[in-house]
Amino acid sequence: MTKSEVITKLLPKRRAWPQAAATAFAPANIALCKYWGKRDAELNLPTAASLSISLGRLGSEVTLAPRAGHDRFTLNGKLLAPESSFARRAAAFLDLFRPAREFCFEVTATNTIPTAAGLASSASGFAALTLALNELLGWRLERRQLSILARLGSGSACRSLFEGFVEWHAGEKANGMDSFAEPLAARWPDLRVGLVVLSDKEKPIGSRDAMAQTRDTSPLYAVWPETVTRDLVALKEAIRRRDFTRFGEVAEGNALAMHATMLAARPSILYCLPETIEAIHSVHALRAEGCEVYFTMDAGPNLKLLFRKPDLRSIVKGFPEVRVVSPFAT
Ligand code: PMV
């Protein structure tokens, strides 16, 4: 099944009268139980479910307007070359939805997180783009359907349509209509996420290629889907019981299992920098001193700390550069 076939199913009658402009925001999300492996690379259908936390006001804002001639992309105030990676990926996504072949877009995006530094800016970017398209082109789709469309841009984008804890159902259907994200009802007001940016350089290998290489060559990949399935159940249970120790242990263990699986790929995929390892040791040292902090990390060298409000002071002492997010602040 192709992306266009999925879109025709969700948008059978497309209106040809766009609004003058539309702006939308979507939060970044950090996976606590990771998505790493596709059962369908065209539709970004995952091998297993995943669970994330959205980062409140940290994310992407996208404004779309119709434009004559050709698409134009501005990111964080800078006009982008059409061959830049952001412009190419966004243009390929927009191609799926143009009301007419010659229809072009003015795209203005602002990220409040470093682009391509493993802080999931592509997830918030595609989610905001999807929401802005929904407005601009008058689709009036529900969030669940928008989650399916955002997934076509980047898998983890389907989770950025929602606030708080979000589960992405793996689904079983070949057309992916049952593979969308959904928020959990649970809130955890004193939970904090600390962003420790150790490098904002572009990553050495993108998640799409890295996932395929892991699946095809890592001897550890065979046990990865069952690890995820077990960790997801444990995390949901820990969230329900507000069992922070269990929550942190499972999230940290899941991230390390993902990185171990990639590390065993041939050739090996190593996102950690020396600074990453040093920061991991600092987390462990803080924990040994009684500050309950855990970490997770994605396809990049940066750490995301998980802790609770009463430990804020110790965290800031241990990581003076940390950017603290309160995912459940109203
Ligand atoms: O959606 P992608 O292709 O950017 O992949 C995201 C992969 C991880 O961030 C490492 C894990 C996840 O679940 O977000």
Side-chain angles (χ1 to χ4, degrees):
M1 164 109 14
T2 65
K3 287 179 178 163
S4 300
E5 284 166 327
V6 171
I7 289 162
T8 309
K9 214 170 157 62
L10 285 175
L11 295 165
K13 284 190 247 120
R14 295 203 218 170
R15 288 183 23 191
W17 311 115
Q19 307 289 311
T23 297
F25 171 83
N29 77 78
I30 302 294
L32 302 165
C33 187
K34 310 290 183 186
Y35 149 57
W36 198 256
K38 301 177 203 258
R39 66 181 164 90
D40 182 319
E42 161 81 7
L43 301 183
N44 290 332
L45 295 175
T47 311
S50 57
L51 182 78
S52 61
I53 178 119
S54 288
L55 296 187
R57 294 306 303 163
L58 223 53
S60 306
E61 187 181 88
V62 170
T63 299
L64 283 181
R67 186 171 197 276
H70 57 88
D71 294 335
R72 195 165 66 168
F73 300 92
T74 307
L75 176 61
N76 296 334
K78 281 200 200 116
L79 199 61
L80 295 183
E83 63 279 5
S84 69
S85 95
F86 175 90
R88 275 192 290 113
R89 284 188 73 189
F93 188 65
L94 292 172
D95 282 347
L96 301 166
F97 302 107
R98 294 182 201 278
R101 189 186 282 270
E102 64 287 356
F103 189 99
C104 294
F105 294 92
E106 176 83 52
V107 182
T108 312
T110 310
N111 279 340
T112 46
I113 38 172
T115 302
L119 287 178
S121 55
S122 77
S124 54
F126 280 110
L129 202 51
T130 306
L131 285 166
L133 281 166
N134 186 49
E135 285 288 312
L136 187 84
L137 303 178
W139 296 339
R140 296 166 194 243
L141 292 179
E142 290 175 2
R143 290 264 158 167
R144 179 175 291 194
Q145 297 163 312
L146 293 171
S147 172
I148 290 174
L149 293 179
R151 167 170 53 71
L152 302 178
S154 156
S156 55
C158 74
R159 298 186 308 234
S160 275
L161 267 292
F162 305 96
E163 299 287 341
F165 293 115
V166 181
E167 180 174 358
W168 173 9
H169 303 289
E172 289 174 351
K173 292 188 179 162
N175 65 10
M177 288 300 161
D178 54 355
S179 183
F180 50 82
E182 202 167 22
L184 303 190
R187 290 172 56 79
W188 200 334
D190 88 347
L191 183 69
R192 297 289 179 272
V193 178
L195 305 178
V196 180
V197 178
L198 300 162
S199 162
D200 63 0
K201 291 203 189 81
E202 294 268 338
K203 43 198 175 186
I205 172 170
S207 54
R208 169 171 291 271
D209 292 341
M211 279 185 205
Q213 192 169 310
T214 309
R215 186 202 52 210
D216 295 345
T217 70
S218 173
L220 304 187
Y221 188 74
V223 291
W224 170 246
E226 61 198 71
T227 306
V228 168
T229 305
R230 233 186 1 254
D231 287 348
L232 188 73
V233 172
L235 270 173
K236 282 165 71 174
E237 179 66 9
I239 292 169
R240 204 178 56 76
R241 292 168 176 247
R242 294 278 189 286
D243 180 344
F244 184 70
T245 305
R246 182 91 179 115
F247 174 81
E249 282 173 359
V250 176
E252 187 173 302
N254 184 269
L256 287 170
M258 177 182 76
H259 281 271
T261 309
M262 296 185 208
L263 210 51
R266 301 171 191 192
S268 178
I269 300 163
L270 174 60
Y271 286 112
C272 286
L273 293 174
E275 298 89 313
T276 316
I277 303 294
E278 208 175 302
I280 291 175
H281 283 293
S282 302
V283 170
H284 289 170
L286 272 175
R287 210 148 74 206
E289 287 165 16
C291 166
E292 214 180 357
V293 53
Y294 298 88
F295 71 85
T296 183
M297 52 190 293
D298 294 302
N302 303 310
L303 290 198
K304 290 92 182 191
L305 308 180
L306 302 167
F307 61 98
R308 284 170 299 178
K309 191 179 170 193
D311 285 316
L312 178 62
R313 202 187 268 259
S314 315
I315 297 290
V316 173
K317 209 161 150 230
F319 292 93
E321 308 294 318
V322 68
R323 170 135 191 207
V324 177
V325 181
S326 305
F328 295 98
T330 42

